[in-house]
Amino acid sequence: AQKITQTQPGMFVQEKEAVTLDCTYDTSDQSYGLFWYKQPSSGEMIFLIYQGSYDEQNATEGRYSLNFQKARKSANLVISASQLGDSAMYFCAMNPVHSQGAQKLVFGQGTRLTINP
Amino acid sequence: GAGVSQSPSNKVTEKGKDVELRCDPISGHTALYWYRQSLGQGLEFLIYFQGNSAPDKSGLPSDRFSAERTGGSVSTLTIQRTQQEDSAVYLCASSLVGQGNQPQHFGDGTRLSIL
C-alpha cells in the first residue's frame, strides 16, 4: 500500500521568501510518479509539478521545483519568491507508473500555506 | 471544453434521496477518475475508468455508489439512498491516458450536502 505524509498542517511565510513544503512517501512499487497539487479557497485542484521515480534530475516548473531524494523517500515542493496568490492548500500525491492495475492517486493530508504581505 | 466540467456545482438533498453527479472530461482524455474530499477523510479515490470500463472501483464506499461512463466521455456518479456521511465534495479528474506518469486534471467539484 502507498502512503503520503505531509507533516506541516500550516505554514506562514513572508511574501517574496522561498518556502519548502515537506512530503514523504512509502511504497513498495519500483516505478511511481509523484505530484503536487494546489487547491485555492475556491476549491479547484491545480496540477503544479510531476516527478518520476526514475528521473535523475529534479523537476522544475517556473517558480516550482521538486526536491526529490529517493533514498529518503521525500519529494519536497520548493516555491521560490512566494506571492500572495500562492496562499492555498498544497497536496502531495503519488501513483504507480506501470500500465496495469490501479491508477489512483494517493494524497497526503495537505499543507495550508499562507503568504503574508 | 478546455477543462473538466462537473455539474451541478452544488447539490442539497434530503437523506434517503438518490443523486446523480456528472463529469465531462477534457476532450481526448481516455482516463477518468472520481475522488471524494471530506474534512475527516481527506481526498479519497473512488473509481477509475479507462474508456468505458472501470478497471478499479475499489474506492466505492458501499453498494449505494455506482458510476458509469458512456461513449468514452461523460461519466455519471450515482449515490442511492443518500446518508449524511455522504456529504462531501466529489471531484472528477481526467488524464490523457491511464498511466501513472500522466497528470490528472481536476474539475471544480460538486459540493454535496445531505440534510
Side-chain angles (χ1 to χ4, degrees):
Chain A
Q2 299 174 328
K3 185 178 180 181
I4 296 283
T5 302
Q6 294 180 253
T7 57
Q8 306 152 312
M11 285 195 70
F12 296 83
V13 174
Q14 287 298 119
E15 190 179 8
K16 300 180 184 177
E17 289 183 352
V19 56
T20 298
L21 304 182
D22 294 341
C23 172
T24 58
Y25 60 90
D26 190 18
T27 181
S28 57
D29 290 310
Q30 294 301 309
S31 182
Y32 49 89
L34 294 156
F35 301 81
W36 277 92
Y37 285 85
K38 172 184 178 181
Q39 188 175 41
S41 56
S42 52
E44 72 269 33
M45 292 282 285
I46 303 167
F47 165 70
L48 295 178
I49 196 166
Y50 163 81
Q51 178 84 41
S53 60
Y54 287 113
D55 293 341
E56 293 186 354
Q57 291 195 333
N58 287 341
T60 60
E61 287 287 347
R63 293 187 300 112
Y64 304 108
S65 60
L66 201 153
N67 184 1
F68 180 48
Q69 298 187 45
K70 192 171 183 177
R72 293 186 175 184
K73 292 190 174 181
S74 75
N76 298 340
L77 177 71
V78 180
I79 306 174
S80 63
S82 57
Q83 302 171 357
L84 295 178
D86 294 334
S87 294
M89 280 289 284
Y90 288 80
F91 292 96
C92 180
M94 72 180 301
N95 68 349
V97 175
H98 55 79
S99 61
Q100 299 297 322
Q103 299 299 329
K104 59 187 175 187
L105 284 172
V106 175
F107 287 87
Q109 290 299 307
T111 295
R112 183 170 297 281
L113 176 64
T114 302
I115 307 299
N116 294 317
Chain B
V4 176
S5 178
Q6 291 187 246
S7 61
S9 54
N10 284 283
K11 177 73 175 178
V12 181
T13 193
E14 293 179 347
K15 176 182 171 181
K17 300 286 189 183
D18 297 351
V19 295
E20 282 190 355
L21 311 180
R22 176 189 166 103
C23 173
D24 199 346
I26 293 172
S27 178
H29 281 195
T30 63
L32 185 147
Y33 314 79
W34 284 97
Y35 295 86
R36 180 169 72 173
Q37 185 173 26
S38 57
L39 281 174
Q41 300 298 322
L43 275 150
E44 304 171 280
F45 166 82
L46 297 178
I47 188 169
Y48 153 60
F49 286 93
Q50 180 59 52
N52 291 335
S53 63
D56 187 358
K57 52 180 78 171
S58 62
L60 294 178
S62 74
D63 58 7
R64 296 186 295 105
F65 287 72
S66 63
E68 65 174 11
R69 189 180 184 195
T70 55
S73 181
V74 172
S75 175
T76 302
L77 176 68
T78 301
I79 310 173
Q80 296 178 309
R81 306 181 302 281
T82 52
Q83 303 294 314
Q84 287 186 333
E85 62 263 27
D86 300 334
S87 295
V89 176
Y90 289 82
L91 292 164
C92 176
S94 69
S95 64
L96 192 58
V97 293
Q99 291 181 2
N101 61 352
Q102 294 291 319
Q104 296 179 20
H105 298 276
F106 285 78
D108 290 345
T110 293
R111 183 174 297 278
L112 178 63
S113 300
I114 309 299
L115 302 178

